[in-house]
Amino acid sequence: MGLLMARGLALPGLGPVDCVLEVGECIALSGPSGAGKTRLLRALADLDPHNGGLWLDGRPAEAVAPCDWRRQVGLLPAESAWWRETVGEHFRRPPPASLLEAVALDPAVLDWPVVRLSSGERQRLALLRLLLNQPRVLLLDEPTANLDVDNTARVERLVADYRQRQGAAVLWVSHDMDQLQRLAQRHWRIEGGRLQEAGA
């Protein structure tokens, strides 16, 4: 059945979608701007209304408390939310220094006001915040869009390590075809409201 499965998933302008993410695999997701990539991620995270069914490890979404579903099926939006004054207030527990080091951040960043963060620092910290929930599925909406080459490589390594260690499934949205070829075992594309295997 796969780790995460959608059947007949439909929302305005997209679908119906049938798809399966297997344990430990990374799937690339591409398509023109406005095609529905973000809407698909939000539907898989059960954040937006949709038709059709979702299952996580064989359990229907209806049988899982919404907060538990969103912890296990973790969405990293392209623009992360920050609602308190300091960085550390956004973490239930401080990320270990090794995790901060993996994305070239000093533990002192947790004491910074959020307004001091660059867009790239926000992006990396939002990823750490997500990983600390130990999701079984990662839905990543252009997670390196604001990063330079070195930090892009750091994020790619961190996600790959997490995927291999935890057996997590990853759905990675990017417009960088070279990146998607580096990372993914399969490639899905959305065009004209349809999701299909790239090249199919």
Side-chain angles (χ1 to χ4, degrees):
M1 185 174 220
L3 180 55
L4 179 65
M5 183 173 76
R7 285 287 177 263
L9 195 68
L11 50 157
L14 179 64
V17 168
D18 295 332
C19 61
V20 178
L21 284 78
E22 302 288 353
V23 170
E25 76 172 341
C26 181
I27 299 177
L29 180 61
S30 66
S33 295
K37 300 181 295 296
T38 295
R39 281 179 290 146
L40 177 60
L41 296 192
R42 289 185 59 84
L44 292 171
D46 208 19
L47 287 167
D48 290 340
H50 57 80
N51 294 323
L54 294 171
W55 290 261
L56 180 64
D57 208 14
R59 294 185 69 199
E62 300 79 33
V64 181
C67 59
D68 287 340
W69 182 275
R70 288 158 198 161
R71 181 181 58 78
Q72 295 184 72
V73 182
L75 172 64
L76 182 69
E79 296 291 335
S80 56
W82 300 87
W83 55 91
R84 298 189 186 278
E85 184 177 345
T86 67
V87 173
E89 291 177 283
H90 294 83
F91 289 82
R92 288 189 299 173
R93 62 185 185 280
S98 59
L99 203 55
L100 288 161
E101 185 180 345
V103 290
L105 291 170
D106 189 276
V109 75
L110 299 174
D111 296 323
W112 289 7
V114 169
V115 294
R116 179 177 169 181
L117 297 174
S118 68
S119 58
E121 288 165 340
R122 289 183 187 218
Q123 204 159 26
R124 284 175 282 157
L125 285 162
L127 176 60
L128 299 191
R129 192 170 66 190
L130 181 69
L131 293 181
L132 286 176
N133 288 330
Q134 297 190 299
R136 302 182 65 197
V137 179
L138 295 175
L139 307 173
L140 307 180
D141 197 351
E142 300 195 59
T144 60
N146 297 316
L147 304 184
D148 59 24
V149 171
D150 289 341
N151 281 313
T152 292
R154 290 184 179 102
V155 165
E156 290 179 1
R157 280 196 302 271
L158 180 61
V159 172
D161 289 347
Y162 181 86
R163 177 171 61 86
Q164 291 163 9
R165 192 172 62 252
Q166 301 287 342
V170 178
L171 186 55
W172 188 306
V173 174
S174 177
H175 291 284
D176 182 342
M177 291 300 109
D178 289 337
Q179 179 180 60
L180 295 182
Q181 288 176 1
R182 277 197 308 274
L183 300 176
Q185 289 78 54
R186 291 194 285 154
H187 182 182
W188 296 345
R189 182 169 177 82
I190 298 178
E191 200 155 8
R194 296 180 57 222
L195 176 73
Q196 58 188 7
E197 292 273 352

